[in-house]
């Protein structure tokens, strides 16, 4: 019996895992520099959390959630996104008591039952930021800046930042009415999903990917014409902050984002080379969400991006963002007695943080040097009977061919290798 990986998922094989580690570490460091702290929540939550937060009519809840019951019949879902779990944790752990502002980031897999294609998977890995605790438009700009500047720092420049304001719930009511008025004469031409959306959530009509619906969207009214004064001011201030940060953006009034909880700022980072799945990251403000899932009324803003599409973009631009780690040294041992006696030294080297390759199945000097070359090791540490008797080693720089005899002392070896002696 041979088993296959589930459709829409993939293995990260050893030869690629360094890229993932690099991206995770890099995002972590970046977020920490902006004052954010990591939060890790479970991979599954009660389904209702997502029904309440994303909205019953959202595609995520309607079609894409992996749902299951546990042995006691409780309904859970594999998390389709990271914001609702973080907000659940914020409320449950009273994080507002620790500090008025919670600056959080997360990394981890998300799950959506969607039609797999390039850049779209059923399990995908997201990185994200959630800022909770202020409606100051500076934070909208800060969160957008993190998402954009991190991608720039990796070497990606062909990015387009698109921003919009979806207003507050009061603006949304007016806008929904305007959209219904606009779409009513075309109801028969809309796809079946959009015919539903017309009643349940007209703004979703703007998000539809069906070509005939996209065509109708062109002349639809713009959300920006339905903002009240405070929402208009908020949006203007976000734009001003972005300009002050020299972050280029375009205003795209068609950005509505797929989930119900967004208010005011909504944004997306688009990479043109990605075809249909061209959104690298997206987010927005969600001032009503925390109250909606049982917390106090606290304003917040966040974003999430996906590593899979990011990796595709980085490969496409041929950006050399991460180097495959190579061993610092390869241990060449000559003689059975040596092999046994040398083990504490070998362990010490590894404990001190050197990457040391060693293969007890290779016996001849020739075979061991061949393996050292193949491994890409920078140094060979050569130990025979004579060296062992004198507690010394031969340290050979495999690039220059230079070789020196020094004490068999793990700290000394480490310092020499680090100093490239
Ligand atoms: P969303 O949570 O839908 O706003 O998505 C945020 C980001 O996550 C997107 O810009 C993508 O980079 C990534 N993403 C969302 N869904 C998928 C998926 N099915 N497969 C791969 N990446 C995804």
């Amino acid at each position: 019996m041979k088993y296959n990986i589930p459709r829409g998922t993939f293995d990260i094989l050893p030869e690629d895992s360094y890229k993932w580690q690099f991206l995770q570490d890099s995002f972590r460091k970046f977020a920490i520099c902006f004052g954010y702290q990591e939060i890790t929540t479970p991979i599954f939550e009660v389904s209702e959390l997502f029904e309440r937060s994303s909205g019953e009519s959202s595609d995520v809840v309607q079609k894409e959630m992996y749902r299951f019951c546990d042995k006691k019949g409780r309904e859970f879902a594999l998390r389709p996104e990271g914001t609702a779990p973080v907000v659940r944790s914020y409320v449950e752990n009273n994080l507002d008591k620790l500090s008025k502002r919670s600056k959080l980031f997360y990394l981890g897999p998300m799950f959506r039952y969607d039609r797999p294609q390039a850049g779209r998977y059923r399990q995908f890995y997201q990185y994200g930021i959630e800022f909770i605790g202020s409606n100051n438009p500076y934070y909208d700009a800060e969160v957008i800046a993190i998402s954009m500047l991190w991608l720039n720092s990796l070497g990606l420049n062909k990015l387009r930042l698109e921003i919009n304001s979806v207003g507050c719930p009061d603006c949304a009511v007016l806008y929904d009415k305007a959209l219904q008025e606009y779409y009513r004469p075309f109801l028969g031409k809309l796809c079946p999903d959009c015919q539903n959306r017309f009643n349940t959530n007209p703004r979703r009509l703007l998000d539809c990917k069906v070509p005939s619906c996209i065509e109708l969207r062109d002349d639809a009214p713009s959300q920006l014409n339905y903002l009240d004064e405070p929402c208009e001011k908020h949006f203007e201030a976000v734009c001003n902050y972005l300009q002050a940060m020299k972050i280029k953006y375009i205003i795209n009034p068609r950005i509505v984002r797929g989930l119900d909880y967004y208010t005011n700022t909504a944004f997306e980072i688009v990479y043109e080379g990605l075809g249909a799945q061209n959104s690298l990251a997206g987010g927005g403000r969600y001032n009503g969400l925390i109250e909606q899932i049982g917390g106090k009324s606290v304003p917040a803003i966040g974003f999430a991006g996906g590593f899979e599409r990011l990796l595709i973009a980085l490969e496409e631009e041929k950006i050399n963002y991460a180097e495959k780690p190579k061993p610092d040294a390869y241990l060449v041992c000559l003689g059975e007695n040596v092999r046994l006696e040398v083990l504490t030294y070998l362990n010490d080297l590894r404990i001190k943080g050197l990457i040391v390759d060693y293969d007890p199945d290779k016996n001849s000097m020739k075979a061991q040097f061949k393996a050292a070359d193949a491994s890409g090791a920078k140094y060979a540490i050569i130990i025979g009977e004579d060296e062992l008797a004198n507690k010394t080693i031969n340290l050979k720089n495999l690039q220059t061919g230079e070789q020196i005899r020094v004490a068999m002392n793990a700290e000394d070896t480490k310092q020499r290798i680090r100093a490239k002696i």
Side-chain angles (χ1 to χ4, degrees), residues 193-208:
D193 274 348
C194 279
Q195 294 194 0
N196 269 333
R197 290 171 182 141
F198 178 86
N199 291 315
T200 53
N201 194 339
R203 271 168 297 161
R204 284 274 152 62
L205 292 162
L206 303 175
D207 220 10
C208 184

Side-chain angles (χ1 to χ4, degrees), residues 359-385:
D359 182 352
D361 285 326
K362 295 219 158 41
N363 290 319
S364 72
M365 173 104 121
K366 198 173 157 205
Q368 292 186 67
F369 267 105
K370 212 172 145 195
D373 279 340
S375 76
K378 295 160 208 141
Y379 288 84
I381 297 171
I382 309 148
I383 306 177
E385 299 283 355

Side-chain angles (χ1 to χ4, degrees), residues 130-171:
E130 310 295 350
F131 172 87
I132 308 178
S134 167
N135 194 39
N136 189 328
Y138 162 78
Y139 286 110
D140 302 48
E142 179 175 283
V143 167
I144 295 173
I146 297 171
S147 66
M148 193 65 184
L149 296 177
W150 183 58
L151 295 174
N152 289 154
S153 80
L154 296 172
L156 282 178
N157 289 309
K158 285 196 219 153
L159 302 171
R160 200 170 65 234
L161 167 62
E162 299 187 352
I163 63 171
N164 186 26
S165 172
V166 297
C168 64
D170 290 345
C171 307

Side-chain angles (χ1 to χ4, degrees), residues 6 9 19 51 78-79 96 178 203 267 287 335 341 371 396:
T9 67
K19 297 179 190 168
E51 284 154 8
L78 295 183
R79 61 182 183 194
D96 59 325
R203 271 168 297 161
F267 69 97
N287 287 351
E341 294 294 321
K396 180 172 184 177

Side-chain angles (χ1 to χ4, degrees), residues 25-76:
D25 291 348
S26 167
F27 181 71
R28 229 179 228 119
K29 281 187 201 140
F30 208 83
I32 288 170
C33 288
F34 280 79
Y36 288 71
Q37 289 176 306
E38 187 160 3
I39 181 164
T40 305
T41 62
I43 276 168
F44 65 99
E45 300 271 354
V46 294
S47 318
E48 200 187 318
L49 173 68
F50 301 108
E51 284 154 8
R52 291 288 299 271
S53 57
S54 300
E56 295 272 5
S57 69
S58 63
D59 280 356
V60 161
V61 168
Q62 289 272 316
K63 307 183 206 159
E64 297 171 5
M65 270 209 311
Y66 277 92
R67 296 165 185 271
F68 64 96
C69 283
D70 72 358
K71 290 190 176 170
K72 291 208 166 143
R74 286 171 292 219
E75 260 207 52
F76 291 101

